[in-house]
Amino acid sequence: MSDPENPAFTSTELERYARHIILAEIGGPGQQKLKRARVLVVGAGGLGAPVLQYLAAAGVGTLGIVDDDRVSLSNLQRQVIHDTDLVGSPKVESAVRAIAAINPHVTVEAHETRIAHDNAADLISRYHIVVDGSDNFDTRYLLADACAAGKRPLVSAALGRFDGSLTTLKPYERNGKGEQNPSYRDLFPSPPPPGLVPACAEAGVLGVLPGVIGSLQATEVIKLITGIGEPLIGRLLLYDALSSRFETIRYKANTAGAAA
């Protein structure tokens, strides 16, 4: 008798996910968790592109996409989920087409809107995990606060010109020592003054950089879904592309962003 909570894989799915299934850490049960998972990706731009591509390829069952922007020619240097033929189209529409081509077994829910105070809680409540692929501080703080209130894990990242950072947030839980997990505001108590950090259009960004950081975000999501490894909770991972260097800063709750 079939189990509705663990629907059987088709023969094509078994072949598609074979390299996952033979991993002892994931196996069939882990792949089933991926198939049942619902992940919301906020932003279908530089970070969202590799996140969506790799989560679709990995077999995440349902991907939600929030974006109200349209594809422009200047996006294509880094936002690799879009192509030249779809310049001018809504990014969510372009992303839906790309995901269908990658993996027809994935359901995509397109939200052609901007996440805001009046819709964040409702959108987040429909998914198990949220990925922040936004490009502005207002959205990052809004998402972090809404995910904390809604008790949803958030994989948050940001890009500079040649550098990037990411962390995973579950401030509504405690760690193995019984300590409260830190929040986004413990790491960054307040946003920088307007105009201090230039936007991508003003400062530029290395085209491959979002691919590095977005792939790491997708890795965090897969770890959270399958329960493998150690997510970046209480740790900020920093990447400097020019020096090819990774560094990790530990941070705690109520430390006002100071390293532990």
Side-chain angles (χ1 to χ4, degrees), residues 217-231:
Q217 283 185 285
T219 303
E220 286 293 291
V221 172
I222 291 171
K223 287 160 57 181
L224 289 168
I225 294 170
T226 59
I228 64 174
E230 180 186 357

Side-chain angles (χ1 to χ4, degrees), residues 173-232:
E173 292 184 354
R174 296 182 179 274
N175 62 23
K177 298 178 181 179
E179 301 167 332
Q180 192 73 38
N181 287 332
S183 70
Y184 189 78
R185 291 181 182 273
D186 289 317
L187 180 60
F188 301 112
S190 59
L196 182 63
V197 179
C200 170
E202 300 169 335
V205 60
L206 183 67
V208 298
L209 180 64
V212 176
I213 304 301
S215 295
L216 290 169
Q217 283 185 285
T219 303
E220 286 293 291
V221 172
I222 291 171
K223 287 160 57 181
L224 289 168
I225 294 170
T226 59
I228 64 174
E230 180 186 357
L232 285 167

Side-chain angles (χ1 to χ4, degrees), residues 124-130 147-148 150-154 169 172:
I124 288 168
S125 69
R126 307 180 201 177
Y127 298 88
H128 303 134
I129 297 171
V130 180
C147 286
K151 297 184 177 181
R152 293 294 190 271
L154 173 65
L169 298 155
Y172 49 86

Side-chain angles (χ1 to χ4, degrees), residues 1 10 18 73 77 83 86 126 145 154 191 210 222 241 258:
M1 185 175 181
T10 65
L73 195 58
Q77 165 252 17
D83 60 48
L86 290 176
R126 307 180 201 177
D145 292 343
L154 173 65
I222 291 171

Side-chain angles (χ1 to χ4, degrees), residues 96-183:
V96 167
R97 293 189 186 187
I99 291 168
I102 292 170
N103 190 347
H105 302 286
V106 174
T107 299
V108 185
E109 297 174 350
H111 307 282
E112 191 179 346
T113 185
R114 178 176 291 274
I115 199 155
H117 290 282
D118 62 354
N119 65 8
D122 177 60
L123 283 170
I124 288 168
S125 69
R126 307 180 201 177
Y127 298 88
H128 303 134
I129 297 171
V130 180
V131 181
D132 184 0
S134 66
D135 61 358
N136 65 87
F137 286 101
D138 288 344
T139 302
R140 289 174 194 146
Y141 281 89
L142 170 64
L143 267 182
D145 292 343
C147 286
K151 297 184 177 181
R152 293 294 190 271
L154 173 65
V155 181
S156 180
L159 299 172
R161 296 167 63 241
F162 296 100
D163 60 275
S165 63
L166 73 149
T167 191
T168 294
L169 298 155
K170 297 179 76 175
Y172 49 86
E173 292 184 354
R174 296 182 179 274
N175 62 23
K177 298 178 181 179
E179 301 167 332
Q180 192 73 38
N181 287 332
S183 70

Side-chain angles (χ1 to χ4, degrees), residues 73-84:
L73 195 58
S74 63
N75 295 152
L76 304 185
Q77 165 252 17
R78 64 202 176 281
Q79 299 181 17
V80 294
I81 202 167
H82 310 299
D83 60 48
T84 305

